[in-house]
Amino acid sequence: MFPLQRNRRLRTNESIRSLVRETSLSPQDFMLPMFVTEGKDIKSAIPSMPGIYRHSLDNTIKEVKEAWDLGIKAVNIYVKVSDNLKDNKGTEAWNKDGLMQQTIRAIKDAVPEMIVMPDVALDPYSIYGHDGIIENGQLINDATVDALTRMSLSHAEAGADFVAPSDMMDGRVLAIRKALEENGHHNVGIMSYSAKYASAFYGPFRDALDSAPVDSQNIPKDKKTYQMDYANRIEGIREALLDVEEGADIVMVKPGIAYLDIVREVKNAVHVPVAVYQVSGEYAMVKAAAERGWLDHDKIMIEQLYCIKRAGASIISTYFAKEASILLNK
């Protein structure tokens, strides 16, 4: 007896497949991470991230304009800080004339409608490469939260649309939200890196910013005391729920492809948009495999982005943003 339901009827050709497709993908789903460095007319290659560069501010503006023309509506900013500006407290992080603050102002001047979400963490500013202040070989939570709050206020004053704390300190979302409200920045949002795992996928990113933890007997060699254990699922949901209670407007899961179960769990648990960061290691693996002819670059790129969106992402922070947008626009 032939089945009454033949699911293949809805897969017969591309027209019907596109008509019933459950998930859509467009450049408006993407946020472009960008690395900014001091100087002028600089485009410095990052060997472990083919096609990604550290740009000086003038070239950063060109990149932002190109991204906007492709339909990308948000950028996530990271800065490479000179070694002479680094210390244990990250004081350069809230310098009103610092590279990050200059970058925020310049982007908002050049492309006012572009959503600017600067990174809030101390690791680019730290002599130890950690996301917070180190005392007696330990990262101190509450003193770090105070520093992150000052950093967030400086970003808001420079014109950021959202601040994006990526540090995983306890209580930092509430402290930042209170400070923003008390200083009149009611419309500045918070995109919290809520479920950020202690992952080996971050290696190329740390190459880009020269921000890997210092190898020292007195300093933690990794970030496992504050970033999440990748064996845990329920903890990620709890972190996201707490951040929403503290005032986060958007919660993020990081990394992406290997953590899509967490994305779906968080999406089911919260009633705010969920962002996903397809991180540097995930990007680098696709590039390396494609260079060797083991994978079709464009096909695997689009497939992964669709899978992240299907899992529940409202926003995908990805180094593929420009390449994928060019393909999708065609």
Side-chain angles (χ1 to χ4, degrees), residues 88-267:
N88 184 32
K89 295 184 178 180
T91 51
E92 177 64 16
W94 52 87
N95 177 2
K96 66 178 182 179
D97 296 316
L99 181 58
M100 178 66 86
Q101 290 76 4
Q102 292 181 48
T103 302
I104 296 167
R105 288 192 292 266
I107 293 173
K108 295 305 291 184
D109 285 344
V111 189
E113 294 184 42
M114 179 67 83
I115 301 301
V116 180
M117 299 191 185
D119 179 57
V120 176
L122 297 188
D123 51 328
Y125 303 89
S126 169
I127 55 175
Y128 300 121
H130 275 284
D131 291 35
I133 297 168
I134 302 292
E135 291 181 10
N136 300 318
Q138 300 292 323
L139 190 145
I140 306 302
N141 190 93
D142 294 1
T144 297
V145 169
D146 291 340
L148 296 171
T149 301
R150 296 184 69 176
M151 184 179 184
S152 297
L153 281 175
S154 77
H155 292 176
E157 289 162 1
D161 299 284
F162 284 75
V163 294
S166 65
D167 54 282
M168 290 298 289
M169 297 300 110
D170 294 329
R172 92 278 205 208
V173 173
L174 179 59
I176 292 169
R177 186 71 265 163
K178 288 176 65 177
L180 291 172
E181 294 296 323
E182 290 168 359
N183 287 273
H185 299 295
H186 311 297
N187 292 326
V188 175
I190 298 174
M191 181 182 69
S192 174
Y193 289 57
S194 298
K196 181 179 180 179
Y197 286 83
S199 172
F201 282 111
Y202 304 149
F205 176 94
R206 292 171 184 168
D207 293 342
L209 293 184
D210 189 22
S211 63
V214 172
D215 189 6
S216 168
Q217 291 183 347
N218 298 321
I219 305 298
K221 294 180 175 62
D222 54 44
K223 301 187 177 185
K224 292 182 179 180
T225 64
Y226 48 100
Q227 294 179 357
M228 285 180 51
D229 185 341
Y230 53 69
N232 294 352
R233 175 181 62 86
I234 295 172
E235 184 184 9
I237 304 166
R238 186 168 70 246
E239 288 278 7
L241 288 171
L242 284 171
D243 282 357
V244 172
E245 288 179 13
E246 292 182 13
D249 302 281
I250 302 169
V251 295
M252 177 182 279
V253 176
K254 180 181 180 183
I257 287 296
Y259 294 80
L260 295 187
D261 59 324
I262 310 301
V263 176
R264 174 43 58 184
E265 294 267 19
V266 169
K267 180 69 172 179

Side-chain angles (χ1 to χ4, degrees), residues 27 32 34 43 51 53 55 58-75 107 110-111 114 320-326 329:
L32 176 63
M34 304 185 73
K43 182 180 180 180
Y53 301 87
H55 290 285
D58 51 340
N59 284 335
T60 296
I61 298 305
K62 295 176 184 177
E63 286 287 298
V64 170
K65 290 179 177 179
E66 181 179 337
W68 180 262
D69 290 341
L70 288 170
I72 298 166
K73 305 299 184 185
V75 291
I107 293 173
V111 189
M114 179 67 83
F320 288 118
K322 288 173 59 181
E323 290 176 278
S325 294
I326 290 169
N329 287 336

